[in-house]
Amino acid sequence: MLKLLKYAPGLTVVLMVGPLLAGLLGTVLPAFGYLPALGGGHASLAAWRELFAQPGLLISVRLSATTGLLATAISFGVVMLFCAAWQGTRAFDLMQRVLAPILSVPHAAAAFGIAFLIAPSGWIVRVFAALGGWDRPPDIVTVQDGWGLALVAGLVAKEVPFLFLMTLGALPQADGERTRHVALTLGYGRVAGWFKTVLPRIYPQIKLPVFAVLAYSASVVDVAMILAPTTPAPLAVRILHWLSDPDLSMRFMASAAALVQLGVVVGLIALWWGFEKLVARFGRGWAEAGGGIVAKEVCARLARWPP
């Protein structure tokens, strides 16, 4: 029995990675024309030629990339700024208590809620319509807009609670509360001190969740079907339509598009990783400099004297 246990880690890796590799192989082969069940018995680039001939393909790729990157950046920024400004306060403790109900809301339900809120005839407009005497909704596009801003809003509404939960798990491991107090006693402001001392210690703990948010946001389907534009739709939505087409020969082109989607996600992660290294390189000097924080705090207190 003990001899078998030493193979447990390798077996676990095989059980986790094996289905992933099988699924990847089942996508790569049809993308290059090999799927005997549908008559594809030899390698071919016909699926790629058909894919690149699809109208609006580049717009779909741009939508997936820009909305995914923007939603991740906004979600990460909101969580970090909230933690920096409110850690150790009653509001911070309250957010921890209400986090579970927010996380339990499905992504599609949150997307429908945002659509009802920001639509031209939605709840926000209805409030102003009652005050201004409007009899018809304004002629503006707020849901399924061409830039995908409604999609970004829907993703941010769900990814902020997730990243906040991941950050809460990382703070005790980085001794975030005591680190924050040390920064305050050295004269740093609440937000600047947190970014200089706490963020560099917790970011390695939440890096993988951030990558998960980035990958999900760039390839989401259900939220995109509700809030994203439809002519053309983001790439993930179009892949789903091609896979669901009654014409089974579309599976070849859908497989090629799935590889493009994989490339978009990998490219975004690489872009985030490169920007992360750039920030770390220049941010270290900013964190070590201390840049007159003490003097700024003293001047601010003198400006408020007498209380």
Side-chain angles (χ1 to χ4, degrees), residues 36-233:
L38 296 181
H42 59 278
S44 171
L45 295 178
W48 292 93
R49 289 192 291 267
E50 185 179 1
L51 174 64
F52 293 142
Q54 292 297 310
L57 179 65
L58 292 180
I59 299 177
S60 297
V61 173
R62 174 185 61 80
L63 272 173
S64 296
T66 54
T67 56
L69 187 60
L70 187 59
T72 305
I74 293 176
S75 301
F76 178 77
V78 167
V79 172
M80 295 301 105
L81 285 172
F82 177 77
C83 291
W86 296 94
Q87 185 183 357
T89 64
R90 292 183 179 180
F92 193 82
D93 296 335
L94 178 62
M95 283 300 301
Q96 296 182 60
R97 296 190 184 96
V98 302
L99 187 61
I102 297 176
L103 282 172
S104 65
V105 177
H107 283 79
F112 276 119
I114 290 177
F116 286 130
L117 186 67
I118 67 174
S121 59
W123 298 338
I124 294 179
V125 173
R126 288 173 186 268
V127 171
F128 289 100
L131 298 176
W134 300 347
D135 59 353
R136 63 185 60 189
D139 187 16
I140 56 176
V141 178
T142 54
V143 179
Q144 297 182 339
D145 60 287
W147 291 96
L149 298 180
L151 174 59
V152 172
L155 292 171
V156 169
K158 282 299 296 178
E159 302 309 335
V160 163
F162 172 73
L163 286 180
F164 183 54
L165 178 65
M166 298 297 102
T167 304
L168 289 179
L171 283 173
Q173 301 179 35
D175 203 5
E177 187 64 25
R178 188 168 64 173
T179 303
R180 184 181 67 86
H181 281 296
V182 171
L184 291 174
T185 58
L186 291 175
Y188 290 97
R190 175 184 289 271
V191 176
W194 196 92
F195 275 99
K196 284 175 177 285
T197 59
V198 180
L199 179 59
R201 303 183 69 178
I202 67 169
Y203 184 76
Q205 306 292 330
I206 64 172
K207 180 188 296 188
L208 290 182
V210 170
F211 287 165
V213 169
L214 183 57
Y216 175 81
S217 299
S219 58
V220 65
V221 174
D222 53 353
V223 179
M225 293 178 70
I226 301 168
L227 296 176
T230 57
T231 52

Side-chain angles (χ1 to χ4, degrees), residues 24-35 44 47 251-253 255-256:
L24 183 61
L25 185 63
T27 303
V28 172
L29 293 180
F32 290 95
Y34 185 80
L35 186 59
S44 171
R251 298 292 179 92
F252 294 98
M253 186 181 69
S255 298

Side-chain angles (χ1 to χ4, degrees), residues 266-279:
V266 172
L268 289 178
I269 292 177
L271 180 63
W272 186 281
W273 180 81
F275 184 72
E276 166 195 317
K277 295 300 181 183
L278 189 65
V279 171

